[in-house]
Amino acid sequence: MFSIIKRSFLLLVLSFFVINVHAQQKIGYVNFQDIFEKYPTTQVAKDSLANYEKRLGKQYQFKVKALENRIEFYNNTTLCATASEKETIEEKLRQKKAAVNKMPTENKEKILHKEKTLLPPIRKKIRDIIGQIAVEYGYQNIIDTLDFIYRNEENDNDITQKVRAKLGT
């Protein structure tokens, strides 16, 4: 009986300790996506990606047109060619067609690679500034507004404007 009372008292003390520790945590929040999208460097990177994608698309269209021209030339000039010459030319055309058919997939991979090169450093810079502000203002945790289930509207722990100010936007 005495051990049950001891355990109950210990649980009561621990629960007050946990409540007290939890009450001391300062939690802030930030709209990371909004900051990322409105950051000028992000726009420069996205414009660069769009231009790169257009350039790859133009290269693809050029290769398609060149292949079509070769096929048309082949159809118009092979009337006098021997069977062996026709076979050699047709094999070269099949290889060129296979290379052209691979281009859309290769271009998507190139674009994804460029995106993975350009965007993560921007995200890292924003996260680093969020970390600096968290330390500067005494926040133990910063939550992205996309992760909210409930937020007290009276809570003034939104650091989005502070991050924007440090980024110069």
Side-chain angles (χ1 to χ4, degrees), residues 94-120:
R94 275 193 292 276
Q95 289 173 358
K96 290 196 180 290
K97 185 175 181 181
V100 169
N101 287 339
K102 288 181 186 178
M103 284 184 74
T105 303
E106 291 170 349
N107 288 350
K108 285 180 186 177
E109 290 172 2
K110 288 177 182 178
I111 292 165
L112 284 174
H113 176 71
K114 188 162 184 92
E115 184 176 321
K116 287 179 182 178
T117 303
L118 291 175
L119 299 181

Side-chain angles (χ1 to χ4, degrees), residues 17-27:
F17 176 75
V18 169
I19 291 170
N20 189 27
V21 168
H22 182 66
Q24 292 176 4
Q25 283 191 353
K26 188 173 178 185
I27 299 173

Side-chain angles (χ1 to χ4, degrees), residues 6 28 34 56 90-91 102 106-107 118 125 145 156 160:
K6 279 169 105 177
D34 185 57
L56 291 175
E90 288 173 357
E91 179 57 31
K102 288 181 186 178
E106 291 170 349
N107 288 350
L118 291 175
K125 181 176 183 177
T145 55
D156 190 30
T160 302

